[in-house]
Amino acid sequence: MGMGNSFETITVLQYRLKAAQEELAAFQSGEKYIRMEKQHLTQVRALERRIAKLEAAVAKEHSHAITIRNQWFEIFEQLQKECDRMVAEAVKKADMMEKRAIRAEKQRDIALEKVTSQRRELCKVKTELDDEKQKVQKLTAQINRNYENSSIPSSKSIARKKISNSREKTGRKPGGQPGHRGHCRKKLTPTREIYLPAPEEVLHDPDFKKTSKTITKQKIDISVEVHVTEYHADVYYNSKTGERIHAPFPQGVIDDVNYGGNLRAFLFLLNNDCCTSIDKSRRFLSDLTDGKINISKGMINNLCRSFAQKTESQRKEIFCDMLLSPVMHTDCTNARVNGESSYVFVCAIPDGGVLYFARGKKGHDGIKGTVVEDYQGTLVHDHDVTFYKYGTGHQECLAHVLRYLKDSMDNEKDRTWNRQMHSLIQEMIHYRNGLSESEEPDPQTVSEFEERYKTILSIAGDEYDYEPPGKYYRDGYNLYKRMKKYKKDHLLFLHNKNVPATNNEAERLLRKYKRKQAQAVSFRSPSSIDHLCKCMSMLVLMRRKEQTNLFREIAEIFA
């Protein structure tokens, strides 16, 4: 009942308020005054007519008429006062309502202005917050970047995590197990034999009898001997012509002191293959020979140039053979020459020839003169767009793509396409590696892989359209655009069985140069790094040959 009465009261008050507002509006517009004036005139006319009638009656009763007239004047005055009072109250109320309306409009404008300012400030704060979040994301990505999610080699990682051992513990002690045939050290042909005498207790006790069993144990060691061959040639003088002549010395014997091929090969491999500095190589040889041989730094440094010149024809043959290969790996890495940036390119065919090239620049100037310049087969590389101008086919290194996807997974956790693409690429590589040598890829399976590849890229496009990439971290988005543009070059290994899925061959070969670069830090001239690249090409080729003694072969070349 209380709620019903309140509702009625509120309704009545609303109606009254509405009537008052309409009346106020009428006063403000002047219509009310016009109506009142018309009403007043109408009343006056009516009274005048009535007065006219009354005057006729007053003629009869004058005194009565005067009284009635006075009464009517009094009533009129009272009405006029009441009307004036009501008009004054209405005007006062209208002024008050107008002031309230003006005050309310001012308050509303101030409130709107305040809200607008707060919205602008909030928008600015949100923009700054998003900007800082993107900066933090970029810095976090840089800090967490390692050999698992980028192209950084594992040797450059400051704090590499320990590789977990997935084997199950058996409780057995480490080492050889009972019943397992051990891998013993291999015995060599003895150069000297020593027979140990019988113990004293055996000699003085007639109960001990010699058996047919003999125990042999070897002690293997090495020694370095210095072999010096001195040639003597008598000089003959012609008394008539003044000519002097002597017997010709053997080939390679030119200076007063010459070094043989074994010594040169030893220092060459120590400095260029084992990446030992020239000073350490000199000191090591001097220690081995008890200080008898002290070779100059210049002689050791010239070994690389000499070996490169002696093997020029072999490298030309390798160059021609590589041009005929259907697939070739290629890559480049940074180098330092006299404190300035330089580059080393590598070209390699699977299980075949390898050539290193030293260049001062990247791009087309760096490729000029390499095998890539005239190559007409399929190139496997790490998405250097310069390589796309050469060759007839291309395969992106999927090992790099997997690392870049992992980086996107670590820094774009709200995306789903990167995880799906990472799993798909691993599945495709596993399928490709599981094929036997005689087995060809199934066209239907390859088609399914391609459709899944397109679907995941479509998901990536929708995700980046819904939430665009930030201003600071765009690696994931750039990878999506690259995989979409070069789709054919990411999936070529599924169609051509001769094409590998990764460029690990070139990566491993460049790692050999990186070890030398870390030891040398900076080369003094472009010719020195050029000679090193030529020598490394031959060293890799020699090591790939079966049953090859690298030291003997290099010694023969120097001899």
Side-chain angles (χ1 to χ4, degrees), residues 31 153 184 263 278 313 361 453 485 496 526 533 544:
E31 293 179 0
C184 302
L263 191 144
I278 294 178
S313 59
K361 296 180 180 180
Y453 186 92
K485 181 178 180 181
N496 190 344
C533 290
R544 288 188 173 184

Short mmCIF file of all heavy atoms in Angstrom, two decimals, residues 31 153 184 263 278 313 361 453 485 496 526 533 544:
data_model
loop_
_atom_site.label_atom_id
_atom_site.label_comp_id
_atom_site.label_asym_id
_atom_site.label_seq_id
_atom_site.Cartn_x
_atom_site.Cartn_y
_atom_site.Cartn_z
N GLU A 31 2.68 34.37 -24.34
CA GLU A 31 1.31 33.96 -24.70
C GLU A 31 0.37 34.09 -23.51
O GLU A 31 -0.83 34.40 -23.67
CB GLU A 31 1.34 32.51 -25.21
CG GLU A 31 2.08 32.35 -26.52
CD GLU A 31 2.11 30.91 -26.96
OE1 GLU A 31 1.53 30.08 -26.22
OE2 GLU A 31 2.69 30.61 -28.03
N PRO A 153 74.81 -18.59 -32.73
CA PRO A 153 75.41 -19.91 -32.50
C PRO A 153 75.47 -20.23 -31.01
O PRO A 153 75.54 -19.34 -30.17
CB PRO A 153 76.81 -19.78 -33.11
CG PRO A 153 77.09 -18.31 -33.12
CD PRO A 153 75.77 -17.64 -33.31
N CYS A 184 88.91 -52.77 -26.18
CA CYS A 184 90.27 -52.61 -25.66
C CYS A 184 91.10 -51.73 -26.59
O CYS A 184 90.76 -51.52 -27.76
CB CYS A 184 90.93 -53.97 -25.50
SG CYS A 184 90.03 -55.10 -24.41
N LEU A 263 107.67 -30.95 -42.15
CA LEU A 263 107.69 -29.83 -41.22
C LEU A 263 106.69 -28.76 -41.62
O LEU A 263 105.98 -28.19 -40.79
CB LEU A 263 109.11 -29.26 -41.15
CG LEU A 263 109.37 -28.25 -40.03
CD1 LEU A 263 110.79 -28.41 -39.50
CD2 LEU A 263 109.20 -26.82 -40.54
N ILE A 278 100.36 -18.37 -34.48
CA ILE A 278 101.70 -18.55 -35.04
C ILE A 278 102.73 -18.65 -33.92
O ILE A 278 103.64 -19.49 -33.96
CB ILE A 278 102.03 -17.39 -36.00
CG1 ILE A 278 101.11 -17.46 -37.23
CG2 ILE A 278 103.49 -17.43 -36.42
CD1 ILE A 278 101.32 -16.33 -38.21
N SER A 313 94.90 -25.55 -59.30
CA SER A 313 94.27 -26.37 -60.34
C SER A 313 93.20 -27.29 -59.75
O SER A 313 92.16 -27.52 -60.38
CB SER A 313 95.33 -27.19 -61.06
OG SER A 313 96.01 -28.04 -60.14
N LYS A 361 82.39 -7.29 -49.53
CA LYS A 361 81.01 -6.82 -49.42
C LYS A 361 80.05 -8.00 -49.53
O LYS A 361 80.43 -9.08 -49.98
CB LYS A 361 80.69 -5.80 -50.53
CG LYS A 361 81.49 -4.52 -50.46
CD LYS A 361 81.08 -3.59 -51.59
CE LYS A 361 81.87 -2.29 -51.55
NZ LYS A 361 81.49 -1.37 -52.66
N TYR A 453 49.50 -26.11 -44.43
CA TYR A 453 50.38 -24.94 -44.44
C TYR A 453 49.58 -23.68 -44.77
O TYR A 453 49.70 -22.65 -44.09
CB TYR A 453 51.49 -25.18 -45.46
CG TYR A 453 52.57 -24.13 -45.51
CD1 TYR A 453 53.72 -24.26 -44.74
CD2 TYR A 453 52.45 -23.02 -46.33
CE1 TYR A 453 54.73 -23.29 -44.80
CE2 TYR A 453 53.43 -22.05 -46.39
CZ TYR A 453 54.57 -22.19 -45.62
OH TYR A 453 55.55 -21.23 -45.69
N LYS A 485 54.84 -15.37 -48.64
CA LYS A 485 55.35 -14.94 -49.94
C LYS A 485 56.21 -16.03 -50.58
O LYS A 485 56.15 -16.25 -51.80
CB LYS A 485 56.17 -13.65 -49.76
CG LYS A 485 56.74 -13.11 -51.06
CD LYS A 485 57.49 -11.81 -50.82
CE LYS A 485 58.06 -11.26 -52.10
NZ LYS A 485 58.82 -10.00 -51.88
N ASN A 496 61.03 -32.55 -54.16
CA ASN A 496 62.30 -33.01 -54.72
C ASN A 496 63.09 -33.71 -53.62
O ASN A 496 63.50 -33.10 -52.63
CB ASN A 496 63.10 -31.82 -55.26
CG ASN A 496 64.30 -32.26 -56.07
OD1 ASN A 496 64.73 -33.42 -56.00
ND2 ASN A 496 64.86 -31.35 -56.84
N PRO A 526 93.36 -8.39 -47.00
CA PRO A 526 92.39 -9.24 -47.71
C PRO A 526 93.02 -10.48 -48.32
O PRO A 526 92.36 -11.52 -48.44
CB PRO A 526 91.84 -8.30 -48.80
CG PRO A 526 92.09 -6.92 -48.29
CD PRO A 526 93.35 -7.00 -47.49
N CYS A 533 90.81 -19.04 -47.01
CA CYS A 533 89.60 -19.65 -47.58
C CYS A 533 89.97 -20.72 -48.61
O CYS A 533 89.34 -21.78 -48.66
CB CYS A 533 88.72 -18.57 -48.22
SG CYS A 533 87.93 -17.47 -47.02
N ARG A 544 87.13 -35.35 -46.57
CA ARG A 544 85.97 -36.12 -47.04
C ARG A 544 86.36 -37.38 -47.81
O ARG A 544 85.53 -38.24 -48.04
CB ARG A 544 85.08 -35.24 -47.91
CG ARG A 544 84.31 -34.19 -47.11
CD ARG A 544 83.30 -33.46 -47.96
NE ARG A 544 82.47 -32.58 -47.14
CZ ARG A 544 81.45 -31.87 -47.61
NH1 ARG A 544 81.14 -31.94 -48.89
NH2 ARG A 544 80.74 -31.10 -46.79
#
